[in-house]
Amino acid sequence: MRQQFSEYYSPSDDEYEKFLKEGIISLDANVLLNPYRVDKEARTQVFAVLDNLKERLWVPYQASLEFFTNRPSVMAGEESVYQKLESPLLSARSKIEEHLKTLKYHPVVSAEVHREMLGGIDALLAKVNHLSRERDAKLEDALRNDTILSKWESLLEGRVGERPDDAKSAALLEDAEKRLSKSLPPGYRDAEKDENSAGDAVLWLQLLEHAQTTKRRLILITDDTKDDWYRRHGGKTIGPRVELVREMREKAGVPYYQQTLAAFIRRAGALLHTPISQKTVEQVRSSSINVVAQHYESIVSSALIDLHLNGGAASIKRSGDDGFDFVIRVGRQRVGISIIFGRIAVGVREIRATLGAAVSTNVDSVIVISNTVPSPAGNEILARGFAHGVHRGIRWIQWTPEDPVEELTMNLQSLLFSIPETSNSIWK
């Protein structure tokens, strides 16, 4: 039975050891970028595992290309931190300034007090802007003196796929697009992307070609956990798509397996007697989840913008400084949109934050779009509010990346259509 349905099985310890000792260990672009997202201790432990497997490593040309394309934006990732600091400060300054105007002639609150209060926030804004400019100035130096890149150069010298010439690139792209048109894994989840929509399919074709040439079993380490790469059940990754295992066996005649980087360092580290702390495993896993969350938010954001462009919303504003990701207008109604991606059910803190944003911005309704559902405690908060008519403007859409985007769009259209035309805020 195991032999007939081997694609559904995870390799035993003996089989897994053969991947490490005899096979090819291929790294995806997201794995090459991971060391930039973790601390020095975690980075050292990850590289320790890979150093022990140096002779087995190989990176497809497509993965290397995506690594160099995305490396600057990953290294500059701190900039988004400063932007997230600046937005609430600007919002707070505006609200305080408006409130102070109402106290202009108050006998106690003098003009000097006004200046001191606003001056304190202005000083914080100046500090954030200074840090942001300092980061920009350092980025060029960081790109030029990149110790992580130097480590990859040492590990992967002579272990990167050759750059295909123009004719080969055109043929690869044509084959990749044929696969996408048939919704063959991997890559069909990216088919609607504006850029590099065929990247995953090209990567897979390069893996197949390399395995056909070397005739060695292959394990791919990738943190792209979409369901066109991995089998997923109940929100959990349970192994590579069986179609990929079959195709590798049929076309290259070799076994195939794939893992996330966190799963790989834990299992390979144990077999190689290379210490990997639980802290490192969690940090590597969290950095991967953050990337997935960004991808989720990107898909939902695109769906919302498309909805507006197609007439489903009168206006749309990317928010962020008031607790919502977007605020859209339907008729006279202002609707706050919160996008929440999580590994587990949405907890009390997130729900209270959403309710607080609704009160402070005085929107008429709230839509939460999440890949999961409220936790039992979160449901209790919502239930208490519903009983008193306080939170009746909250609507919840559960949508996962494994679901069609059209399903998300239809749910949004249905909810927005049900919102009354007349503005009558329920949050006052």
Side-chain angles (χ1 to χ4, degrees):
M1 186 174 182
R2 185 184 180 100
Q3 188 171 355
Q4 288 177 296
F5 296 94
S6 59
E7 59 267 33
Y8 288 93
Y9 287 81
S10 295
S12 66
D13 284 346
D14 287 343
E15 290 168 334
Y16 190 80
E17 197 166 1
K18 285 184 179 180
F19 277 105
L20 302 186
K21 292 184 175 181
E22 304 170 7
I24 297 162
I25 301 168
S26 187
L27 310 178
D28 199 357
N30 45 56
V31 171
L32 300 178
L33 291 167
N34 188 280
Y36 293 98
R37 299 184 172 110
V38 298
D39 65 22
K40 184 177 180 180
E41 180 185 353
R43 195 159 51 238
T44 299
Q45 292 186 11
V46 169
F47 280 133
V49 173
L50 296 175
D51 271 322
N52 283 331
L53 299 165
K54 183 175 180 178
E55 301 303 317
R56 303 289 172 211
L57 299 180
W58 183 76
V59 179
Y61 178 81
Q62 180 66 26
S64 304
L65 176 63
E66 292 178 12
F67 165 72
F68 281 104
T69 301
N70 295 315
R71 174 173 154 261
S73 61
V74 171
M75 293 182 71
E78 291 178 28
E79 180 62 24
S80 63
V81 175
Y82 299 130
Q83 290 172 348
K84 289 177 181 177
L85 280 172
E86 185 180 41
S87 292
L89 286 172
L90 286 171
S91 177
R93 190 192 191 285
S94 176
K95 290 176 182 178
I96 290 173
E97 189 172 23
E98 286 299 314
H99 184 63
L100 288 174
K101 286 178 181 178
T102 68
L103 303 175
K104 185 176 182 180
Y105 301 107
H106 196 285
V108 176
V109 185
S110 65
E112 184 179 352
V113 172
H114 287 206
R115 286 192 298 272
E116 286 179 358
M117 294 181 72
L118 292 177
I121 295 181
D122 288 339
L124 289 171
L125 283 166
K127 180 65 174 176
V128 170
N129 288 329
H130 171 73
L131 291 171
S132 181
R133 288 194 301 272
E134 193 176 59
R135 175 63 184 172
D136 288 341
K138 290 179 178 178
L139 179 58
E140 187 175 346
D141 286 341
L143 288 168
R144 189 168 53 249
N145 303 301
D146 184 354
T147 57
I148 295 174
L149 178 61
S150 297
K151 182 62 180 177
W152 281 130
E153 289 171 343
S154 171
L155 275 173
L156 300 175
E157 183 64 34
R159 300 180 179 88
V160 176
E162 291 294 323
R163 178 179 180 176
D165 59 26
D166 290 345
K168 183 63 178 290
S169 291
L172 275 171
L173 186 59
E174 183 180 355
D175 289 345
E177 288 176 344
K178 286 179 182 177
R179 294 179 68 94
L180 297 182
S181 68
K182 299 175 182 177
S183 294
L184 294 177
Y188 63 82
R189 287 294 186 191
D190 293 335
E192 302 302 319
K193 284 172 59 176
D194 293 332
E195 296 181 6
N196 197 32
S197 59
D200 283 358
V202 169
L203 177 93
W204 176 247
L205 291 171
Q206 291 176 343
L207 288 172
L208 279 174
E209 183 179 18
H210 190 68
Q212 287 168 336
T213 301
T214 61
K215 293 299 178 183
R216 290 160 60 191
R217 63 180 62 223
L218 188 148
I219 179 171
L220 172 66
I221 314 304
T222 178
D223 283 334
D224 186 342
T225 55
K226 298 193 301 297
D227 69 338
D228 56 351
W229 275 109
Y230 285 95
R231 282 188 294 142
R232 295 179 62 82
H233 180 73
K236 294 184 178 181
T237 300
I238 57 175
R241 285 284 296 255
V242 295
E243 298 95 328
L244 302 181
V245 181
R246 286 180 192 143
E247 187 174 9
M248 184 65 74
R249 187 177 60 219
E250 291 169 1
K251 293 185 177 178
V254 300
Y256 173 78
Y257 192 56
Q258 70 190 37
Q259 288 181 293
T260 63
L261 180 58
F264 173 73
I265 60 172
R266 183 175 55 197
R267 190 170 185 184
L271 286 172
L272 296 168
H273 306 291
T274 303
I276 299 292
S277 68
Q278 186 59 31
K279 176 187 171 186
T280 291
V281 172
E282 288 300 325
Q283 195 175 142
V284 169
R285 182 184 290 121
S286 295
S287 69
S288 169
I289 290 168
N290 289 339
V291 173
V292 175
Q294 290 168 8
H295 178 72
Y296 181 83
E297 290 168 7
S298 174
I299 295 174
V300 175
S301 297
S302 296
L304 287 165
I305 292 169
D306 287 345
L307 186 70
H308 163 60
L309 294 175
N310 292 323
S315 66
I316 183 167
K317 174 188 174 186
R318 188 178 289 276
S319 193
D321 58 344
D322 53 12
F324 291 114
D325 295 288
F326 289 90
V327 174
I328 63 177
R329 186 174 291 278
V330 180
R332 296 182 181 179
Q333 298 280 323
R334 293 175 69 249
V335 182
I337 307 288
S338 285
I339 304 170
I340 303 176
F341 182 90
R343 292 171 58 193
I344 56 177
V346 179
V348 171
R349 185 180 64 179
E350 292 92 340
I351 290 174
R352 282 181 174 160
T354 300
L355 297 177
V359 173
S360 64
T361 57
N362 205 28
V363 295
D364 300 292
S365 295
V366 173
I367 294 177
V368 175
I369 303 172
S370 178
N371 65 312
T372 184
V373 295
S375 66
N379 261 327
E380 283 184 20
I381 292 176
L382 292 173
R384 286 199 300 270
F386 280 121
H388 295 90
V390 178
H391 310 328
R392 65 182 183 275
I394 290 187
R395 295 159 169 86
W396 198 284
I397 295 178
Q398 184 185 6
W399 181 83
T400 73
E402 289 78 30
D403 301 324
V405 176
E406 293 77 13
E407 184 177 313
L408 171 61
T409 302
M410 286 190 293
N411 284 333
L412 279 167
Q413 289 173 329
S414 175
L415 287 183
L416 293 174
F417 183 75
S418 68
I419 294 174
E421 280 289 322
T422 306
S423 177
N424 181 23
S425 177
I426 61 176
W427 310 103
K428 293 178 181 178

